[in-house]
Every structure is written in structure tokens, then in C-alpha cells.
Amino acid sequence: MFLRSHLVLTSLLLFSLPLVATEPSQRISGPFSQSNLTVFLLHGKDTLSGDSKLMTLDEALEKKKLIVHETSNVNLLAVENISDDVEVFVQSGDIVKGGRQDRLIACDMIVPHKSGKVPISSFCCENGRWKQRGSESAAEFGVSNAQAANQALKLAVNSSRDQAEVWARVREAQKKLAMNVGKPVANATSPSSYQLTLEDKEVLTKVDNYTTDLKKLVEDNADAIGFVIVINGKVEGAELYGSHSLFLKLWPKLIFGAAVDALSELDAKKTFKLPTEKDIEVFLVDASKGKEKEIVASAATNQQMLAPTSGAQPRPNSNIAGTGTSKTDAGKPSRVVVVSTENDKTVLLEARDRKDNSIVHRSYIAK
């Protein structure tokens, strides 16, 4: 049974960053709780223009509209939109399965139609494998049905941006899940694969217990454009999008990830109080206070992304291998500009459309 309350917020709450012109009033509904997972929905008018043809990464891969290419560089992939008329939203934390090892996408991007091969930063989330797995293609990535779910893993991807820490957080997440599932969740095919752990049957069964009543929330709320994640009574983060339709498409991935994180942090003996409406407000407003810096989408021009690796995997380098050239490759600015605002309590990443400065995505991560 869900717990419910409502809160009306002004535009200062969710749209307090610079360069914003006029934004509508916002509303929070909730809490909606299942075990130790609670979510609040963020409501508002669409601000992202022309998103009717905007596909998500998983949708584009399934419909063969986009290819994610292996580059033989641990921290660099290439995305290629081969469609004639759709654009594809790729989100930081998206997992792509296949290639020589599974990867986590490191930055938001909108990939235009007929894009050519566009470099995008990535992190390995499967330490050790560097070859084809089963019948999967070693040259491409065919599936993206999950995201970095664990809060600590999100911080490793979006704050420290360190490959060694990403691997450490994957191992930590696997251990916590194994403890609460009651059995090992590392897949024998590739024990270090975070993706294969998320496909474990027992993990899926327990996650489904969380999501059964929650997954219809966004469909039932036509003006929902985001949500706040609360685990064990603590606000862990929030995701806000420029339109309801984009949020609705991403919701299955998002609620699955929140449930995985809740399962990993489950303690049946633990008691907690839910945050107040004021707590939610303070978290969202305070996240915008901090030092801003632009995030570069490609490791080819961002040496900070190039962490050393070990084992059979090659050392990352600044050259994208085998991606050919195109106008996009040659340096055309990404349609999306991503700005990170970080303080001692939160990391806020904001992706804006260069065309009209509209919000595409905001991701709030508590430290």
C-alpha cells in the first residue's frame, strides 16, 4: 500500500540553475513506498521541444536505429545513428552489453540522425573479459536494458570518474546483492559482469517484488517528468527530464535501478523515518549550489577519463580506433551541453539542448 502526500513547489525548486528563462510551477506527489524503497514523483509541463522523435538508447538498439561500436579502447565507444529521421537520447549510466566487455556510458548525449560514428566516453563494468562472449558480437553492443543502479557506482561514474573505482563499486554492489539474495549473483560466464549480475533470476524475482506496484506510476500521471529516490529513509538522488514522454520511456530502467539499489541496502531489522517535504525541497535546491564545470562527452578530448587498466585489457588511450570520420567526428559540437555542479553533499548533472537551452535531463546524486 502506497503512502501519499502532496507538495506544491515554485520554479525556484527544480529550475534554479542559471540560463533558465520562464519555468512553470512544479509539484511533488508521494511518497510511494515499497519495503525500504520510496519514490516521489516530480510533476510539471514539458520544456523539451520537439522530442516526439526522440528515442532512448534501448529503444534505438532494439529497432536497429543506432549502433554502439566497440573501439578497442576501454574508456571510449562510438555511437552511430543510422536512421533517417529520429534522434537518440543516450544517458550517463546506461549499460551496453556485448563488445569485448560490457560498458557504462559516461555522459548524456543526443545523437542526431545520420550522425556518423560519434565518440563517447565509457567505463568498463566487467573487469577481465576482452573477447567475444557466447554468440554476442565482439564488434558491437546489442542490448541496453539496465543502468548503473547503485548510488556509489553513480558517483564513481559522475564524480570521481575513475575506472578503478567503478570496478570497486561493481564488486561492492555484487557482494551486497548476494548477501540479500542469499546466494552468489556473479555469473560463471563472466563473474565480474555487472550486467549479468542484474540478469540473475533471483535478483530479478526480488526486484520484481519492489516494482510490481511502482512501475505504473508514471503512466498513471500524465504530467510526471521525474522522480526522487529514497532508500532506508535517506534521499539518494533524483532524475528530472524535459518531457513526460521521455521520462515514461525511461521509467522501466529507472525504477528497476532504484529497486536494485534498495535490494542491495535492505536490512529487515533497520527502522527509518521518511524524509519530510522540507527535506526533499532542501535536497533539490541545495544541489544547485557549487562549482560548475562542463563535462566533455568524448574521452578522445578528455584525458581525465583515461584511467589505467590491468589484466588482458588494453591501456586506455586518447585515440578512437576504427570509427572513421564524419562531420560529427571532426568536431561538430554535441547538441547537448552537460554541466556538473558539485558540493560536499551532492552532484548535479544538467544536460541542456543547445538549440533552445531547454532541459533534457537533470540527475541529482547524493554523496
Side-chain angles (χ1 to χ4, degrees), residues 90-102:
V90 180
Q91 181 168 306
S92 175
D94 278 342
I95 302 173
V96 286
K97 179 184 179 183
R100 295 187 176 184
Q101 58 185 193
D102 302 334

Side-chain angles (χ1 to χ4, degrees), residues 303-316:
Q303 296 297 324
Q304 186 180 16
M305 298 295 298
L306 305 177
T309 61
S310 59
Q313 299 162 170
R315 180 183 176 88

Side-chain angles (χ1 to χ4, degrees), residues 345-363:
K345 294 182 179 180
T346 55
V347 176
L348 168 60
L349 295 112
E350 180 177 70
R352 284 189 168 271
D353 193 332
R354 291 183 189 272
K355 294 193 306 182
D356 56 10
N357 203 40
S358 61
I359 294 170
V360 180
H361 175 220
R362 276 184 178 168
S363 182

Side-chain angles (χ1 to χ4, degrees), residues 3 22 59-60 83 95 98 167 169 207 222-223 251 274-275 312 319 349:
L3 302 172
T22 302
E59 184 182 16
S83 71
I95 302 173
W167 281 327
R169 297 311 181 189
V207 166
D223 64 343
W251 180 242
L274 292 179
N319 299 313
L349 295 112

Side-chain angles (χ1 to χ4, degrees), residues 213-231:
D213 290 333
L214 295 173
K215 58 189 176 184
K216 291 185 179 180
L217 277 178
V218 177
E219 185 177 346
D220 293 341
N221 289 270
D223 64 343
I225 55 173
F227 79 125
V228 178
I229 307 165
V230 178
I231 295 175

